[in-house]
Amino acid sequence: MRLLHTSDWHLGRAFHRVNMLDAQAGFIGHLVTTVREREVDAVVVSGDVYDRAVPPLAAVELFDDALHRLAALGVPTVMISGNHDSARRLGVGAGLIGRAGIHLRTEPSACGTPVVLADAFGDVAFYGLPYLEPALVKNEFGVEKAGHESVLAAAMDRVRADLAARPHGTRSVVLAHAFVTGGEASDSERDITVGGVAAVPAGVFDGVDYAALGHLHGCQTITERVRYSGSPLAYSFSETGHRKSMWLVDLGADGSVAAERVDCPVPRPLARIRGTLEELLVDPALARHEDAWVEATLTDPVRPADPMARLTERFPHALSLVFAPERAPDDPDVSYAKRLAGRSDQEIAQDFVAHVRGAGPDERERAVLRDAFDAVRTDDVAREVAR
């Protein structure tokens, strides 16, 4: 059975101030063409179909168009909700849409109930594990501690139990939206840290033939059977080095996996450039970036006048300007943002405590801070779900 694995469409998202809807429509067209020309048997979409819980109308219309075009091909599609989606909204009409071969899996309680498709060698069971927010699903899975690993392990126990009851030789595919250990993150993914931990081990997916992952925006191979497709488009300059693609996976009769990357259209290349403004305006080596979306980091010791206006004379698609004067690390003028770069909210709060009272928090106090941050993030998720 030939699968096309994709995820993280983020329909409705912009790239800085650029509306990406046309580029997203171009990707949908490319997806449909790939399904037809490469004789794909099933499409799997591993979450974050939309960029937010209540997407703009244009994004909903594009999703509707994608569903109609996939259904018209007669190729089954299985998709799950991600942490950016409203699972309840995405799942509206799932039963009816399923009759057209588009199978939406958004309910945590249905993790152990697969979509079963068949090829010449027998059945393939597709298990959809939507994004599982630990605090909201721990009772469903009967776990004492609300953590990503515990709830995902409990969901996978249901998958393995169902699979064990099926005829011998039934192959299996799991769709999941999670941060798996060994994956490389970028700036455009929403933080899902719970209790100071965001990642789960790849071993949680042991026992299935292929795990089609979503959430991380870079295409990556965790193991031969556990892969991220990544987002089809870049959504931050941290993805400048990404090769955006989908996985074309051939699932053999014995459950073997052979995977090939299928490149996605690039609406415009990305470039990160660095130097003084005058250097950037005259450096001949930067000519290749003149048609790219550009993030420029200016190292001038004093902020120059009208930097963006001058920069766009050479780089008309410049979108982001960062000021990083080259100074010694202990220089008091080093920017606050630079001092905080790469530090988590928890670390910043702990530094504040240390600054105020002269000593950092002890383990009990760190746990209180951690619980507070988790409660705020979980409350935000719950509010989105309720909208």
Side-chain angles (χ1 to χ4, degrees):
M1 182 173 288
R2 174 164 284 183
L3 318 175
L4 188 63
H5 167 200
T6 178
S7 71
D8 295 273
W9 294 358
H10 288 278
L11 300 181
R13 185 165 187 159
F15 182 75
H16 290 263
R17 61 176 181 272
V18 177
N19 187 317
M20 295 292 284
L21 202 64
D22 286 345
Q24 291 170 338
F27 160 70
I28 296 298
H30 171 70
L31 171 73
V32 172
T33 298
T34 301
V35 171
R36 183 178 61 251
E37 294 184 351
R38 300 300 299 269
E39 299 181 336
V40 169
D41 297 307
V43 177
V44 294
V45 186
S46 299
D48 282 353
V49 174
Y50 293 120
D51 188 57
R52 54 183 185 267
V54 185
L57 178 59
V60 177
E61 290 174 340
L62 180 55
F63 179 60
D64 181 64
D65 177 64
L67 296 187
H68 277 83
R69 295 171 73 179
L70 287 168
L73 292 176
V75 176
T77 298
V78 184
M79 60 176 62
I80 60 173
S81 50
N83 62 301
H84 279 251
D85 299 309
S86 166
R88 292 168 66 182
R89 287 175 181 271
L90 187 64
V92 169
L96 185 60
I97 295 172
R99 297 180 186 178
I102 308 294
H103 305 281
L104 299 171
R105 290 295 183 264
T106 63
E107 289 291 336
S109 60
C111 285
T113 304
V115 175
V116 180
L117 305 177
D119 63 9
F121 304 104
D123 289 345
V124 180
F126 290 78
Y127 297 90
L129 278 57
Y131 172 67
L132 303 174
E133 176 57 47
L136 301 182
V137 302
K138 68 174 185 176
N139 292 336
E140 166 64 34
F141 292 105
V143 299
E144 293 183 6
K145 185 177 180 181
H148 288 295
E149 183 174 355
S150 60
V151 297
L152 196 53
M156 283 300 302
D157 285 344
R158 293 188 184 183
V159 168
R160 284 184 282 264
D162 180 85
L163 190 58
R166 295 188 176 275
H168 178 71
T170 299
R171 290 157 290 162
S172 54
V173 175
V174 165
L175 290 73
H177 197 86
F179 190 163
V180 174
T181 303
E184 183 177 344
S186 59
D187 292 344
S188 52
E189 297 120 6
R190 182 181 295 170
D191 181 31
I192 60 171
T193 300
V194 174
V197 179
V200 300
V204 77
F205 298 107
D206 287 350
V208 298
D209 295 309
Y210 185 70
L213 302 182
H215 180 58
L216 299 185
H217 288 184
C219 182
Q220 357 188 356
T221 300
I222 306 300
T223 72
E224 287 304 304
R225 296 184 181 276
V226 180
R227 299 171 186 263
Y228 283 99
S229 65
S231 61
L233 297 166
Y235 291 116
S236 74
F237 279 104
S238 66
E239 300 169 54
T240 298
H242 287 189
R243 172 188 164 197
K244 295 301 184 182
S245 57
M246 303 176 284
W247 284 113
L248 192 67
V249 178
D250 286 321
L251 190 62
D254 59 353
S256 60
V257 170
E260 171 192 345
R261 290 179 72 174
V262 178
D263 290 334
C264 295
V266 178
R268 192 177 297 279
L270 307 185
R272 277 178 152 172
I273 59 178
R274 183 185 181 93
T276 66
L277 181 58
E278 292 304 324
E279 289 170 346
L280 300 184
L281 293 178
V282 300
D283 187 350
L286 300 180
R288 67 185 189 277
H289 299 315
E290 290 176 357
D291 195 45
W293 281 322
V294 168
E295 178 184 76
T297 299
L298 300 186
T299 60
D300 302 74
V302 177
R303 185 177 300 222
D306 300 322
M308 183 59 91
R310 294 171 64 190
L311 196 68
T312 53
E313 291 178 3
R314 183 179 188 189
F315 304 100
H317 304 288
L319 297 177
S320 175
L321 203 54
V322 179
F323 293 97
E326 293 184 346
R327 299 187 175 108
D330 57 352
D331 189 314
D333 289 332
V334 171
S335 74
Y336 181 69
K338 190 171 183 178
R339 294 199 302 272
L340 297 185
R343 301 184 66 74
S344 68
D345 291 343
Q346 171 98 15
E347 291 169 328
I348 293 169
Q350 290 173 184
D351 288 349
F352 176 75
V353 172
H355 173 74
V356 170
R357 73 179 187 191
D362 59 25
E363 180 53 40
R364 183 185 64 81
E365 291 168 331
R366 288 196 295 272
V368 170
L369 286 171
R370 188 162 52 244
D371 290 345
F373 282 117
D374 286 350
V376 170
R377 193 188 57 78
T378 301
D379 184 62
D380 287 344
V381 173
R383 288 175 183 272
E384 284 200 2
V385 168
R387 291 175 70 182

